[in-house]
């Protein structure tokens, strides 16, 4: 069994040695094959190097030949291009001679563009042999451009009337006419080409206007100017009144119609411009086209400003109305076009400055008119200046929007000095952003109204003291009448809402008037203050009730009785004189009632007390005691 195991191991060893021999044999063959491959690669590399040495120069020569061939082809093509314009020059010249109308605009533009391209190609070649052809092409291109400009001018003029009647479109609520679509298309094509040529010749950043823009602005601006001319004249003519003293009424001037027509015409023109010109040209063309009409508007407004200054008290309202009209026109045009705001502001400046200065001028005019009064009614009747001043303030309420903007621009109290209202002027139409957002134009106007009323009453008071001297009762009636008229005109108009919180200024003057009028009452009441000293034995004790007049009389000496009689007599005389004068005064109903009430409240309690104590002085004969309580009460009632 052990022998079998040994035999099996030997057999396995023999088999393993056999496999190793096989592997060694194969490894030797692989090594030999590797050596043969390495030898072949060496021979191949040597062969490739030889090929590269031979093929390299051949490849370089081939590339040179290819470049040369391409250059020759390019030269042949360039020669063909140079020959083509020269060959076709006669055909293009024929089209140039025909012009855009006969040749057709599209055909003519195509021809001009071909000439331009050919000219640029020849200039790029810079060949001496083509100089004559270049000169001919330049002549043809210049002729073509000139004829296109002429055609643009002719076509635009044929479509532009000298003027139209703006009232026809305004009264019928019709849009203002624009150029026909066919003509706009042709004009747009010509402008597109000529604008490109202009930019090419002057440079993209040049500020020089295109000839087409000049033509358009010249032709259309005259149309706008002529169309608006009659309305400009009407605006100045309607400012002239048959009655110089008549106060301007809103809407009676032609400026509203003038501005309405201007807006319609300008917007129609802007539509034309947007259809013909490129976007970057819209603003400059629109400005240039509208400029002559805006210059005429400025002249008209300057003329109106001079007229208003000459009639400031009656026509200042026209200035306020124009401010609102032109400001509205400016805002409408800016919202639609983004243009003309500064131009309209410059045109409006004289009127706006007149409107601002009018606030100071009206206050000064009020003082001047009051100081110019040579006399005042002896019966205390009110002056017409109070009514006129309040009518002016009432009329201002009708123009509250423009006045509010003016008030905000000069600031609260800015009217108190001429320098404040005239200073800081700029050529801009105020917008919300230019103001203090917290400012209230209506509140500032209410302050102005209160200042006007205070100026009027203080001036009337000063003048009355000069003209009426020591006649305090007359001055009191005069002031009270004017205060009442002012208050009545406030309450009966739109001023009531604005001045509701500022009426205390009238209360102050009403108290001053009452104090002046009741000075007479104080003089009369002196006669009702008895200073008679009775004996201690006759004096009633405290808590014993009212002492009868008879008892008091018994305690008076003869001298005291005579004094009481004199007091009754003096009172009667002064009282009757006051009553007679009261009835003669020219008082407003409210004034008569107010002053009668004040007189009654001041005198009646004093007289009743005096009567209770001393009416037995003449034992009912009426020689000294002319009025009992009932009769004097009736007299007081008659004063109302």
């Amino acid at each position: 069994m052990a022998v079998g195991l040994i035999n099996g191991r030997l057999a396995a060893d023999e088999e393993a040695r056999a496999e190793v021999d096989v592997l060694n044999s194969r490894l030797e063959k692989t090594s030999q094959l590797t050596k043969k491959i390495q030898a072949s690669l060496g021979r191949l590399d040597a062969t490739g190097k030889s090929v590269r040495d031979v093929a390299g120069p051949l490849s370089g020569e081939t590339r040179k030949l290819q470049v040369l061939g391409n250059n020759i082809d390019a030269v042949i093509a360039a020669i063909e291009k140079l020959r083509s314009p020269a060959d076709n020059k006669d055909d293009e010249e024929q089209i140039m001679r025909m012009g855009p109308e006969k040749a057709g605009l599209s055909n003519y533009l195509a021809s001009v563009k071909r000439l331009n391209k050919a000219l640029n190609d020849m200039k790029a070649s810079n060949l001496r042999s083509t100089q004559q052809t270049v000169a001919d092409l330049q002549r043809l291109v210049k002729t073509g451009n000139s004829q296109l400009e002429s055609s643009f001018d002719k076509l635009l003029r044929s479509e532009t009337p000298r003027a139209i009647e703006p009232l026809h479109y305004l009264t019928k609520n019709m849009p203002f006419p624009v150029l026909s679509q066919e003509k706009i298309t042709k004009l747009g094509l010509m402008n597109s080409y000529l604008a490109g040529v202009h930019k090419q010749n002057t440079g993209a950043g040049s500020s020089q206007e295109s000839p087409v823009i000049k033509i358009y602005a010249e032709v259309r601006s005259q149309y706008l100017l002529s169309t608006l001319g009659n309305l400009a004249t009407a605006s100045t003519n309607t400012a002239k009144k048959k009655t110089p003293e008549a106060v301007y009424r809103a809407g009676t001037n032609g400026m509203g119609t003038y501005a309405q027509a201007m807006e319609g015409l300008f917007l129609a023109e802007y539509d034309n411009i947007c259809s013909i010109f490129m976007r970057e040209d819209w603003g400059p063309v629109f400005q240039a086209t509208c400029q002559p009409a805006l210059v005429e508007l400025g002249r008209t407004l300057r003329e109106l400003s001079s007229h208003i200054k000459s009639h400031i008290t009656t026509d200042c309202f026209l200035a306020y109305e124009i401010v609102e009209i032109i400001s509205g026109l400016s805002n409408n045009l800016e919202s639609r076009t983004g243009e003309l705001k500064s131009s309209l502001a410059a045109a409006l400046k004289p009127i706006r400055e007149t409107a601002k200065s009018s606030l100071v001028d009206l206050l000064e005019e009020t003082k001047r008119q009051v100081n110019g009064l040579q006399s005042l009614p002896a019966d205390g009747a009110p002056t017409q200046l109070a009514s006129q001043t309040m009518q002016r303030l009432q009329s201002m309420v009708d123009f509250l929007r423009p006045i509010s903007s003016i008030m905000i621009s000069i600031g609260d109290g800015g009217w108190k000095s001429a320098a404040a209202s005239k200073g800081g002027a700029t050529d801009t139409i105020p917008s919300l952003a230019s103001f203090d957002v917290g400012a209230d134009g209506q509140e500032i106007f209410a302050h102005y109204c209160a200042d006007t009323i205070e100026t009027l009453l203080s001036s009337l008071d000063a003048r009355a003291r000069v003209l009426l001297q020591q006649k305090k009762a007359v001055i009191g009636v005069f002031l009270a009448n004017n205060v009442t008229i002012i208050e009545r005109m406030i309450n009966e108009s739109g001023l009531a809402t604005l001045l509701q919180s500022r009426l205390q200024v009238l209360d102050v003057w009403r108290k001053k008037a009452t104090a002046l009028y009741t000075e007479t009452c104080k003089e009369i009441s002196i006669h009702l203050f008895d200073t008679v000293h009775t004996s201690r034995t006759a004096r009633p004790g405290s808590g014993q009730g009212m002492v009868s007049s008879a008892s008091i009389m018994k305690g008076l000496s003869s001298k005291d009785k005579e004094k009481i009689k004199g007091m009754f007599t003096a009172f009667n005389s002064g009282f009757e004189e006051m009553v007679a004068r009261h009835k003669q005064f020219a008082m407003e109903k409210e004034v008569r009632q107010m002053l009668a009430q004040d007189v009654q409240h001041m005198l009646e309690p004093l007289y009743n007390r005096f009567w209770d104590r001393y009416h037995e002085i003449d034992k009912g004969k009426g020689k000294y005691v002319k009025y009992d309580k009932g009769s004097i009460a009736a007299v007081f009632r008659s004063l109302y």
Side-chain angles (χ1 to χ4, degrees), residues 261-306:
M262 182 174 287
E263 180 180 344
L265 281 166
F266 281 10
L267 290 177
E269 203 58 42
Y270 189 72
D271 290 341
N272 289 335
I273 291 169
C274 292
S275 299
I276 295 172
F277 295 91
M278 290 177 285
R279 178 68 183 86
E280 62 268 22
D281 293 330
W282 291 355
V285 178
F286 188 52
Q287 287 275 4
T289 304
C290 298
Q291 194 57 37
L294 292 174
V295 170
E296 179 63 16
L297 172 66
R299 186 200 63 78
T300 302
L301 292 179
R302 286 193 299 274
E303 187 173 341
L304 287 172
S305 178
S306 298

Side-chain angles (χ1 to χ4, degrees), residues 32-94:
Q32 292 174 357
L33 183 59
T34 300
K35 291 178 180 180
K36 291 179 180 180
I37 291 172
Q38 288 177 342
S40 298
L41 287 175
R43 290 192 298 272
L44 183 60
D45 183 57
T47 304
K49 184 176 181 182
S50 301
V51 170
R52 283 196 299 272
D53 292 341
V54 174
L58 292 176
S59 177
E61 291 299 324
T62 302
R63 282 197 296 271
K64 290 180 181 179
L65 290 174
Q66 288 176 341
V67 171
L68 179 60
N70 291 336
N71 289 341
I72 292 171
D73 291 339
V75 171
I76 292 172
I79 292 172
E80 291 297 325
K81 288 182 179 179
L82 293 175
R83 290 179 58 190
S84 178
D87 295 340
N88 298 330
K89 181 167 65 70
D90 293 340
D91 296 336
E92 304 294 1
E93 186 172 4
Q94 183 64 30

Side-chain angles (χ1 to χ4, degrees), residues 79 86-87 107 136 182 222-223 235 257 334 370 374 414 418 489 497 546 553 564 587:
I79 292 172
D87 295 340
N107 188 30
D136 292 341
E182 178 189 359
Q222 291 304 309
Y223 154 71
S235 297
T257 304
E334 186 187 24
V370 171
Q374 298 302 313
M489 296 185 73
T497 304
M546 181 179 294
M553 288 298 103
I564 295 298
M587 299 182 185

